[in-house]
Amino acid sequence: MPSSPLDFQLSAPDEPVLASARLSAVARSRYAEDRLRTSGLRQHIVLGAGLDTSAHRAPGGVRTWLVDLPDVCAWRTSLFRRAGVQDAGVPVAVQLGADPLVPALAEAGVELDQPAQVSCLGVVMYLGLEDLAAVLADLRALRAGSSLVTDHVLPPRDRDAAGRSYAAALSGMAGGVGEPWLSTATPEHWAGVLGDAGWDVVESCPEASTLALRSHPLLRPQRLVQLTRAVRREQE
Ligand SMILES: C[S@@+](CC[C@H](N)C(=O)[O-])C[C@H]1O[C@@H](n2cnc3c(N)ncnc32)[C@H](O)[C@@H]1O
């Protein structure tokens, strides 16, 4: 009986919906890591990190903080311990939307007078609007020039047929990949939300456009998820 989302994935490696979910995780992580690499920023804050391993591939001199729920941080620590691998990031146990984020980051060693990249991947769609607003309000404390990389789900009318059928299949699944999406947004709406919170969108693209997919029976491009990078503007 699978006991975690990881076991669930491992129990059915050829299941097409799970394979697509893994591809999406790889694509968004690659997008964020490429932006971190070219930004020259030396602090990387990963919100809703889960089992994100970007800290292990970060350029030299970059420090990474891994924010997630206390239970998930503990689970991650236990998995690394069991594997005999030293984790490269600093865990920060915070419930986004409920706990103050910035004091916890400062406590964990983030230098707030220096800019940072915040990667918030696979998370926006699971936070309600109130929690999202609270997180964005917290992030106002970050230094101008900081970078915010997000992915979010497009509203049903903006999805293509492949995206609609993937979303329908995903919502029918159990085991940790089928949680309901609480928020969707058009790229324009998302740019407005970020703009109101002090972040100027400098790049927005469909996740599928970042992939060079060769023909594969399990994987196909779909219009469903949008990747965005925004930059913290000078304090108003
Ligand atoms: C779908 S996973 C994404 C993991 C990883 N960032 C990725 O891109 O694959 C969502 C993660 O967000 C975390 N999460 C969800 N709600 C959260 C909250 N309110 N506060 C902190 N973490 C949260 C979950 O525990 C989980 O690890």
Side-chain angles (χ1 to χ4, degrees):
M1 182 74 176
S3 58
S4 78
L6 189 59
D7 293 327
F8 189 68
Q9 292 276 346
L10 290 170
S11 71
D14 292 334
E15 207 292 320
V17 175
L18 295 182
S20 285
R22 291 197 298 278
L23 178 70
S24 179
V26 169
R28 61 186 180 245
S29 185
R30 178 62 190 262
Y31 177 85
E33 289 179 52
D34 284 351
R35 268 86 203 144
L36 176 66
R37 199 164 292 114
T38 53
S39 71
L41 296 171
R42 318 268 289 188
Q43 305 193 97
H44 189 202
I45 299 162
V46 184
L47 300 184
L51 297 180
D52 178 296
T53 55
S54 61
H56 295 260
R57 297 178 293 277
V62 171
R63 294 189 69 200
T64 303
W65 289 265
L66 304 161
V67 178
D68 213 303
L69 301 167
D71 286 357
V72 176
C73 290
W75 174 60
R76 177 185 174 108
T77 300
S78 72
L79 289 179
F80 272 83
R81 192 176 300 128
R82 205 189 313 159
V85 175
Q86 176 71 43
D87 202 353
V90 178
V92 184
V94 159
Q95 182 177 350
L96 296 169
D99 304 329
L101 172 61
V102 170
L105 292 173
E107 170 92 359
V110 173
E111 294 176 45
L112 296 173
D113 59 350
Q114 298 296 318
Q117 173 167 313
V118 179
S119 298
C120 185
L121 303 173
V123 176
V124 167
M125 56 289 273
Y126 299 115
L127 293 180
L129 291 179
E130 275 185 25
D131 286 351
L132 268 177
V135 172
L136 289 172
D138 270 351
L139 294 179
R140 277 186 182 275
L142 293 189
R143 181 76 192 265
S146 292
S147 182
L148 174 61
V149 176
T150 62
D151 65 333
H152 74 269
V153 174
L154 297 169
R157 67 175 180 281
D158 288 1
R159 302 170 190 167
D160 64 8
R164 281 195 297 274
S165 80
Y166 173 75
L170 199 59
S171 67
M173 293 192 84
V177 294
E179 300 105 339
W181 290 329
L182 298 179
S183 59
T184 64
T186 63
E188 297 72 25
H189 180 198
W190 189 234
V193 170
L194 294 181
D196 289 346
W199 297 86
D200 294 323
V201 170
V202 293
E203 188 178 19
S204 174
C205 60
E207 182 185 80
S209 73
T210 68
L211 297 165
L213 282 183
R214 288 184 292 275
S215 173
H216 189 288
L218 295 180
L219 305 174
R220 56 190 171 152
Q222 59 199 11
R223 185 162 167 76
L224 178 66
V225 175
Q226 190 81 3
L227 292 164
T228 304
R229 185 171 81 85
V231 174
R232 180 80 178 98
R233 78 174 74 99
E234 293 293 334
Q235 312 290 326
E236 300 88 359

